Amino acid sequence: MDWLNLDWLTGYKIPVGRVASDFFNWLRDNFSAAFDALADGAEALIDGLLWVLQTPHPLVIVAIFVAITFWLQRNWATCLLVLLGLLFIINQGYWERTTESLTLVICSCFVCMVIGVPIGIATAHRPRLYRFLQPILDLMQTLPTFVYLIPAIVFFGIGMVPGLIATVIFVLPAPIRMTHLGIVSTPPALLEAVEAFGGTARQKLWKVELPYSTPQIMAGLNQTIMLSLSMVVVAALVGADGLGVPVVRALNQVNTALGFESGFVIVVIAIVLDRMLRIRQG
């Protein structure tokens, strides 16, 4: 029964962790200038958006959100829901924390859509590229989010920037997959009609594929926002400001009131953003 002894299998441990550590240390030592520049750019983006959200009176920002909701949805009931949700957040005293979380969400969504949509288009036109990226996207979405915080701290220190980077890595597969799905779902008959009239590849993309895939791309944006919002608590562990900070504090203090209060505010802002960006039928 010696063959049941696992010493032969555990005697040599494949150095997954050590290789990853050496790789990240090599990146830090050789590309520190690039990481510093990336951190400076991300910090400037975050500071600018924070200034936009926090400088005006809160009611002005609420009015802007309601106006955007009406422009997108053309539904007064949805506008009323957004208004009541934001007023509830102000009532609970979490407006500043909410603007900090919104900054993280908006910045991550901007970066993810700018990167993810072009990659999704490219993978839709190049199936081999999508097959190559598929396991990488699976890894990005299934690897525990806390693992991303370790290299983020190594490269960018403590604060909003590592929280933003970890959020982008976790969320990026969503717009890539949804854009790919929208493009490949374009009916072949439409593409053949464009080709029959002498349309170029650029015209097929802008006149047929992108308009047809807009619902999927918008669904990808909605998913990106929701996933980014789910990262606010994780980002708080690396010093990112926002609604995750009181949640972590409540956990450390076993403070039920603070935990439910801040957690419910996160739920409210998630509902508000979902209703604002929900795709209208018809």
Side-chain angles (χ1 to χ4, degrees):
M1 300 294 288
D2 291 341
W3 61 275
L4 291 177
N5 193 322
L6 294 180
D7 290 343
W8 62 274
L9 184 59
T10 60
Y12 176 76
K13 179 180 178 180
I14 299 175
V16 176
R18 182 167 55 82
V19 170
S21 177
D22 292 342
F23 175 69
F24 287 124
N25 290 333
W26 178 82
L27 287 177
R28 181 192 58 191
D29 295 338
N30 292 275
F31 297 95
S32 58
F35 289 122
D36 290 342
L38 179 61
D40 291 340
E43 193 169 354
L45 179 64
I46 291 170
D47 290 343
L49 192 53
L50 272 176
W51 182 86
V52 170
L53 291 175
Q54 293 183 346
T55 301
H57 193 277
L59 294 180
V60 174
I61 301 299
V62 170
I64 292 174
F65 270 78
V66 173
I68 293 174
T69 303
F70 181 76
W71 178 63
L72 292 173
Q73 302 296 334
R74 295 291 193 274
N75 188 313
W76 286 109
T78 305
C79 293
L80 180 61
L81 176 65
V82 171
L83 175 63
L84 293 177
L86 295 178
L87 291 179
F88 171 79
I89 292 171
I90 295 175
N91 170 263
Q92 294 296 300
Y94 282 88
W95 180 253
E96 185 176 352
R97 292 293 188 189
T98 299
T99 57
E100 292 166 348
S101 290
L102 280 175
T103 297
L104 185 64
V105 170
I106 294 172
C107 289
S108 63
C109 288
F110 173 76
V111 174
C112 287
M113 296 305 288
V114 167
I115 298 175
V117 172
I119 293 178
I121 294 172
T123 56
H125 293 154
R126 298 170 179 83
R128 287 185 179 180
L129 176 61
Y130 185 68
R131 286 195 296 269
F132 171 77
L133 288 179
Q134 204 165 10
I136 299 176
L137 298 177
D138 293 338
L139 176 66
M140 291 170 66
Q141 286 191 305
T142 56
L143 194 67
T145 52
F146 294 96
V147 176
Y148 296 133
L149 300 180
I150 301 171
I153 293 173
V154 171
F155 296 142
F156 304 105
I158 299 295
M160 292 284 279
V161 174
L164 174 62
I165 299 301
T167 301
V168 168
I169 295 173
F170 175 68
V171 176
L172 186 58
I176 294 177
R177 292 185 188 277
M178 295 304 294
T179 302
H180 173 270
L181 175 63
I183 298 295
V184 299
S185 300
T186 305
L190 292 179
L191 300 176
E192 292 171 0
V194 174
E195 292 175 355
F197 284 98
T200 64
R202 183 185 297 271
Q203 289 173 326
K204 281 199 302 183
L205 174 63
W206 288 100
K207 301 294 185 180
V208 178
E209 291 177 331
L210 283 179
Y212 187 85
S213 60
T214 296
Q216 285 83 359
I217 295 175
M218 289 302 297
L221 174 60
N222 188 286
Q223 204 173 60
T224 299
I225 291 174
M226 294 300 109
L227 290 172
S228 298
L229 194 57
S230 72
M231 286 288 289
V232 296
V233 177
V234 177
L237 297 176
V238 293
D241 298 323
L243 294 169
V245 174
V247 174
V248 174
R249 186 181 300 124
L251 180 63
N252 292 332
Q253 300 173 355
V254 197
N255 189 330
T256 306
L258 179 61
F260 272 88
E261 188 178 83
S262 53
F264 197 72
V265 170
I266 294 176
V267 172
V268 170
I269 195 63
I271 293 173
V272 166
L273 293 176
D274 177 70
R275 296 303 186 272
M276 284 181 63
L277 296 168
R278 176 167 291 185
I279 301 170
R280 287 188 295 158
Q281 300 297 327

